[in-house]
Amino acid sequence: MTAEKMALAKAINESLRTALDADPKVLIMGEDVGKLGGVFRVTDGLQKDFGEDRVIDTPLAESGIVGTAIGLALRGYRPVVEIQFDGFVFPAYDQIVTQLAKMHARALGKIKLPVVIRIPYGGGIGAVEHHSESPEALFAHVAGLKVVSPSNAGDAYWMMQQAIHSDDPVIFFEPKRRYWDKSEVNREAIPSPLHKARVVREGTDLTLAAYGPMVKVCQEAAAAAQEEGKSLEVLDLRSMSPIDFDAVQASVEKTRRLVVVHEAPVFLGTGAEIAARITERSFYHLEAPVLRVGGYHAPYPPARLEDEYLPGLDRVLDAVDRSLAY
Amino acid sequence: MTVESTAARKPRRSAGTKRTAAKKSPGARPDLVQLLTPEGKRVKNGEYDAYVADITPEELRGLYRDMVLTRRFDAEATSLQRQGELGLWASLLGQEAAQIGSGRATREDDYVFPTYREHGVAWCRGVDPANLLGMFRGVNNGGWDPNSNNFHLYTIVIGSQTLHATGYAMGVAKDGADSAVIAYFGDGASSQGDVAESFTFSAVYNAPVVFFCQNNQWAISEPTERQTRVPLYQRAQGYGFPGVRVDGNDVLACLAVTKWALERARRGEGPTLVEAYTYRMGAHTTSDDPTKYRADEEREAWEAKDPIQRLRTYLEASNHADEGFFAELEAESEALGKRVREVVRAMPDPDRFAIFENAYADGHALVDEERAQFAAYQASFADEGEGIQR
Ligand SMILES: Cc1ncc(C[n+]2csc(CCOP(=O)(O)OP(=O)(O)O)c2C)c(N)n1
C-alpha cells in the first residue's frame, strides 16, 4: 500500500489508530470520543477496536481532562486528548498554561510531558458561538508548548504521528472546515519534520504564508492571481510554535513581498510575529511592508456574518494588490 | 430503569485491577418527589403538597397550555432547522414539565440563568419565542435584553452560568432584596469545575440561589454514570445545603419543589440543589445522532412517562378541562407554529457592520480603525452593485 486518498478527519483517525497499535502507552481521552467517535467522528471505531481502557470517554470537564492527562503522562502514558471545540479549551487553559507548559523546566528536565491536545478550530461551518475560534496565538505565546496545524490529510496523518512521539506537549489544531477535504496520504513516505514549513506552490512575485484552513484559500488566491499574470508563492507554515522563519525568509528573499493570512484576529497574532521577524531579517530585501490578512478585533460574529469576517479570496487578493502597489 | 449504557455496565479495568461498575441510578424510588404518577394519578406528598395545595383548575390548564405550546414551538424549530432556516437547534422534547414547572415557580423579580435548551423557561418568563431563534439561525450571538424579563442569555460553555447566578444572588443578598435566583444546567455540567465552585461560593455566602439540574440522562453520548457515581442531588450535602430529586416529568412536583426551594432562598436560608429526573427524548442537537450510543427501547420506556400526556389524563379524569379547551389549544398551537415559521423566514441577515458593534461599551481605537478599513474595502466593490448599507 502506498498513497491513498482520504479525508483529513479520516487521516487523523488512521494516525491515531496506528499510534494506538504501535504503543500500548498511547491513550485517547475526551468527551464523546468513545461510542460516538467524537462529534466530528475523528475517533470513530477506535474504542470498539482498542477498548474503553485505551479510548476513554471522560466526564464533561476540560480542566479535568487535561489535568488528569498530565498525571497520566507523569506515570509514563502518552495521552492524546480531544477538546470538543476551540471555544471550550478555556476551562483547561489554566492546566495547559500554568502546569503542562512549565513542568518539564521546573523539574530540571527530568520529567517529560508527552501530551497531545487536539482542538478542532476555526470557522466556516456556520456554527453557534464558541465553535469557530482560532486561539492559536494564545498558546504559541506560552513557552513550553508546541503548536501545530496541518492543512491537508497527508500532513495530518504524519504530523499526528510526530506530535504523539514528541516528548513535549503539542497543541494540535485541526482545521475543522477541512475535515472532509480529501488528499493523498502516503504511509511509507519519509515525512518532513513537524515544525518545518513547506512551499505548496512556487512563485516569484509575492509570498503568501498561511497554515491550517487558510492554506487552501491562499492556493486558490494564487491560482486566481496567475490568471492576472501574477506569480504567487504559497507557504504552508504547518507550525506556529516554533515557526520556521528560515523558510519564510528564504521565500521572501526570492519574492520580496510577504502577506501572512490567518483566521485569527490580526492584532497581536501569528502574523504580527512573522511580520516583525521578517522585517528584522530581510529588511533590505523587502519591496513592501509585510501585510496581514485575518480576523478583526471583535468577537467572532454570528454565522450569517462569518464570510465577512473570515479572509476569503477577495481579501487575500486585495492585500496582494496593495503589496504589489508599493 | 433504562438509563444505563453498556459503557457504565461493563467493569472498567485499570492497571490490571478489576473495579466494580458504578451503581445503577434509581428510577422511581422513595427519594423521587412525585405528585402526579405517569398514569396521571394525583398522589400525596406530605412535604411538598402544601406548595400546590391552592392550585386552581385554571392554573392547571395553564401549565398544560404552557407545555403544549412549548413543545409545539420546539417541534417547529426542529423542522425549521431541517428546512435549512436554522443552523442548529437544541430540542427540549421531553423536558417540558421540568421547565414549565420550575419556570412557573419563579416570581417576576427573580432572575433566571439558563443554558441553551431552556425554551420552556424562557416561555414562562415572557421572552418572545422568536427571540430564541436568532442565535440558532446565526444572526446574533444572544438575541434579547436579559434585563427585560430577568432571563439571562443562553450559555453555550457548559456550567459557566452557575457562577454568574451565584454572584448575582450574592448581590441580591447584599442589596437586602427578597428575590431569588435560579440557575439551569445539565447532568453533564455537574462535572465542570465551575459548577463545583458555584456550589462552594453559594454555600459559603449563603446565596439565595436554586441550582436546577435537569438530569436528562445524557450529555451528548455520555450517560449520567460517566459524570457521577452518586445520585446528583446528594452532592449538595457535601457542600452543606439541601438537595432533592424530583420527577422531572411531573409538572406539579417540579412546580412544588422549585417553589419550596425559591422560598427557602428568599427567607435567607441559602442555596438548594434540585435534580429534575427527566429524559431528553430527541437528539442532543440537530447535528447529533443518538442511534450511535443509545437504544430505541430506552426512549420508548420514557415516552410512557410523557409529561404532557400525564397532565392531560389528570385534567380529563378530574373534569378540569373539556373538549373545547383542548380544541382551542390545538388551534392556538397551530397559530404559534405558523407565526414562528413566518418570523424566522422574515428574519433578515444582520448588517455586515454588526461585526464591530458592541465589541466595547466605551469604544476602542483599534476597532474604529478596523471598521474604517472594512468600510473602505467594502466600498471598493461599490461599482459592482455591492453597495453597503450603513
Ligand atoms: C465547556 C464545554 N465543553 C464542551 C461543550 C460541548 N457540549 C455542548 S452540550 C454538551 C453536553 C451537555 O450535557 P448536559 O450538561 O448534560 O446538558 P444537556 O445538553 O443534556 O441538557 C457538550 C459536551 C460545551 N458546550 N462546553
Side-chain angles (χ1 to χ4, degrees):
Chain A
M1 177 178 41
T2 50
E4 44 180 319
K5 268 205 146 186
M6 65 176 80
L8 192 150
K10 177 72 178 158
I12 296 174
N13 178 280
E14 287 292 319
S15 191
L16 295 173
R17 177 175 291 280
T18 306
L20 284 163
D21 241 340
D23 180 356
K25 295 292 187 190
V26 172
L27 304 174
I28 309 290
M29 297 168 62
E31 297 157 10
D32 305 294
V33 298
K35 252 193 198 159
L36 186 63
V39 292
F40 289 106
R41 308 292 182 266
V42 171
T43 55
D44 204 22
L46 297 179
Q47 189 181 65
K48 195 166 120 279
D49 296 342
F50 294 94
E52 291 174 21
D53 284 344
R54 307 273 319 273
V55 180
I56 304 166
D57 270 326
T58 65
L60 210 180
E62 286 77 9
S63 181
I65 293 169
V66 173
T68 55
I70 291 172
L72 282 157
L74 293 174
R75 179 73 193 173
Y77 286 90
R78 303 187 90 85
V80 181
V81 312
E82 175 177 298
I83 299 294
Q84 205 156 70
F85 278 92
D86 36 67
F88 307 143
V89 69
F90 297 105
Y93 196 64
D94 168 36
Q95 285 288 341
I96 296 172
V97 171
T98 67
Q99 306 303 320
L100 183 62
K102 298 181 167 66
M103 235 176 241
H104 176 72
R106 291 177 55 225
L108 314 174
K110 299 295 180 206
I111 56 170
K112 299 199 168 97
L113 279 305
V115 176
V116 178
I117 300 178
R118 297 181 36 236
I119 309 177
Y121 83 120
I125 64 161
V128 292
E129 62 165 357
H130 308 300
H131 290 74
S132 303
E133 290 163 23
S134 301
E136 61 272 15
L138 297 175
F139 294 89
H141 193 69
V142 178
L145 303 175
K146 290 179 172 170
V147 183
V148 301
S149 178
S151 68
N152 61 71
D155 258 2
Y157 177 85
W158 280 114
M159 287 169 73
M160 181 58 75
Q161 294 289 300
Q162 293 162 326
I164 294 171
H165 289 140
S166 166
D167 283 332
D168 287 311
V170 178
I171 315 294
F172 198 95
F173 280 103
E174 300 175 3
K176 67 170 87 82
R177 71 159 129 160
R178 306 289 176 226
Y179 268 149
W180 305 279
D181 289 3
K182 290 190 172 178
S183 63
E184 300 240 303
V185 174
N186 184 346
R187 297 173 202 242
E188 274 137 43
I190 295 168
S192 56
L194 182 56
H195 302 290
K196 204 161 166 37
R198 198 180 53 230
V199 176
V200 292
R201 181 189 175 106
E202 304 252 5
T204 52
D205 298 340
L206 180 148
T207 300
L208 289 174
Y211 50 85
M214 281 296 128
V215 173
K216 187 174 175 191
V217 171
C218 289
Q219 285 174 298
E220 287 166 0
Q226 172 109 56
E227 300 191 351
E228 298 167 9
K230 295 167 200 156
S231 165
L232 308 189
E233 180 145 304
V234 180
L235 200 59
D236 181 353
L237 293 171
R238 301 170 77 246
S239 175
M240 287 83 80
S241 177
I243 291 174
D244 183 357
F245 289 111
D246 290 347
V248 187
Q249 181 177 356
S251 179
V252 165
E253 293 186 2
K254 179 172 80 165
T255 66
R256 298 177 165 260
R257 288 182 164 84
L258 175 63
V259 175
V260 189
V261 184
H262 51 59
E263 289 189 14
V266 162
F267 183 63
L268 289 174
T270 311
E273 181 60 38
I274 295 172
R277 296 267 175 166
I278 291 305
T279 305
E280 282 176 25
R281 285 185 179 215
S282 308
F283 186 70
Y284 291 108
H285 290 85
L286 286 168
E287 300 280 357
V290 179
L291 299 182
R292 291 164 291 160
V293 182
Y296 303 106
H297 193 64
Y300 193 89
R304 298 272 170 149
L305 285 179
E306 69 178 341
D307 287 343
E308 303 284 352
Y309 178 94
L310 292 169
L313 267 197
D314 283 332
R315 278 179 61 203
V316 173
L317 290 172
D318 180 67
V320 167
D321 289 346
R322 277 189 286 132
S323 176
L324 289 169
Y326 276 92
Chain B
M1 239 333 287
T2 48
V3 301
E4 293 283 288
S5 77
T6 20
R9 251 183 253 125
K10 274 192 201 150
R12 295 182 305 119
R13 273 182 299 116
S14 162
T17 324
K18 282 255 178 204
R19 306 279 167 102
T20 47
K23 272 207 199 110
K24 276 194 162 201
S25 290
R29 308 196 328 194
D31 59 5
L32 188 77
V33 178
Q34 197 174 65
L35 300 181
L36 208 54
T37 67
E39 296 73 36
K41 289 228 160 53
R42 190 69 174 78
V43 285
K44 287 270 158 223
N45 181 296
E47 218 167 325
Y48 298 101
D49 259 336
Y51 293 88
V52 290
D54 56 355
I55 196 162
T56 63
E58 194 188 348
E59 284 167 328
L60 284 169
R61 285 194 299 276
L63 293 174
Y64 183 79
R65 175 178 173 273
D66 289 337
M67 289 197 289
V68 167
L69 294 181
T70 300
R71 180 171 290 187
R72 180 53 207 259
F73 164 71
D74 185 70
E76 200 61 49
T78 302
S79 49
L80 283 165
Q81 196 281 334
R82 298 279 176 248
Q83 292 158 21
E85 299 286 348
L86 301 177
L88 184 83
W89 183 245
S91 165
L92 67 12
L93 185 62
Q95 299 178 220
E96 294 88 351
Q99 296 196 13
I100 299 300
S102 61
R104 284 293 172 212
T106 61
R107 219 167 61 181
E108 203 176 324
D109 59 336
D110 292 340
Y111 213 107
V112 177
F113 287 84
T115 81
Y116 43 78
R117 206 191 288 285
E118 270 66 74
H119 321 313
V121 185
W123 172 266
C124 294
R125 297 301 300 178
V127 176
D128 182 343
N131 287 350
L132 305 177
L133 299 166
M135 172 169 149
F136 292 99
R137 187 174 168 87
V139 301
N140 59 50
N141 281 332
W144 58 89
D145 170 3
N147 290 328
S148 58
N149 300 77
N150 282 12
F151 185 78
H152 193 69
L153 301 168
Y154 277 181
T155 306
I156 301 265
V157 180
I158 301 294
S160 290
Q161 76 283 2
T162 57
L163 280 167
H164 313 152
T166 300
Y168 193 96
M170 287 160 62
V172 167
K174 277 187 195 304
D175 295 346
D178 81 334
S179 50
V181 178
I182 182 165
Y184 288 84
F185 60 104
D187 50 310
S190 72
S191 296
Q192 287 286 355
D194 276 4
V195 173
E197 293 181 22
S198 71
F199 288 178
T200 300
F201 274 71
S202 63
V204 165
Y205 296 109
N206 204 42
V209 58
V210 175
F211 297 105
F212 195 90
C213 175
Q214 286 169 86
N215 178 357
N216 66 7
Q217 314 302 329
W218 292 93
I220 311 189
S221 74
E222 313 278 17
T224 305
E225 290 74 14
R226 183 55 37 151
Q227 317 293 343
T228 180
R229 294 186 70 158
V230 299
L232 281 172
Y233 74 97
Q234 289 179 5
R235 289 242 179 118
Q237 201 190 353
Y239 290 90
F241 54 85
V244 48
R245 177 179 274 183
V246 58
D247 183 337
N249 288 20
D250 173 351
V251 71
L252 268 193
C254 289
L255 178 67
V257 168
T258 314
K259 269 191 169 171
W260 163 75
L262 289 167
E263 283 176 22
R264 277 193 80 241
R266 291 201 178 95
R267 283 196 303 267
E269 290 170 27
T272 307
L273 171 61
V274 177
E275 177 189 1
Y277 202 75
T278 181
Y279 191 70
R280 180 247 285 165
M281 289 207 221
H284 169 68
T285 65
T286 43
S287 33
D288 175 41
D289 174 10
T291 63
K292 297 270 286 189
Y293 54 82
R294 72 183 191 190
D296 290 345
E297 301 88 70
E298 182 183 297
R299 185 194 148 119
E300 284 156 20
W302 276 93
E303 270 168 8
K305 305 182 198 174
D306 189 293
I308 297 187
Q309 186 52 47
R310 180 182 304 204
L311 184 56
R312 181 172 181 137
T313 308
Y314 176 65
L315 286 174
E316 286 173 338
S318 53
N319 287 321
H320 284 336
D322 58 15
E323 295 265 313
F325 167 74
F326 293 111
E328 231 172 81
L329 182 54
E330 180 59 33
E332 191 183 355
S333 172
E334 274 314 301
L336 175 67
K338 186 161 175 282
R339 182 169 81 81
V340 167
R341 240 176 0 257
E342 283 167 2
V343 169
V344 168
R345 296 213 170 110
M347 215 177 259
D349 281 357
D351 181 293
R352 40 177 64 138
F353 286 90
I355 290 173
F356 302 97
E357 272 163 29
N358 301 311
Y360 294 89
D362 286 339
H364 187 290
L366 176 61
V367 175
D368 294 344
E369 183 187 325
E370 290 191 352
R371 188 197 288 109
Q373 284 166 356
F374 183 77
Y377 174 67
Q378 298 293 337
S380 71
F381 290 102
D383 55 335
E384 294 165 28
E386 270 254 61
I388 46 165
Q389 334 93 13
R390 184 78 233 262

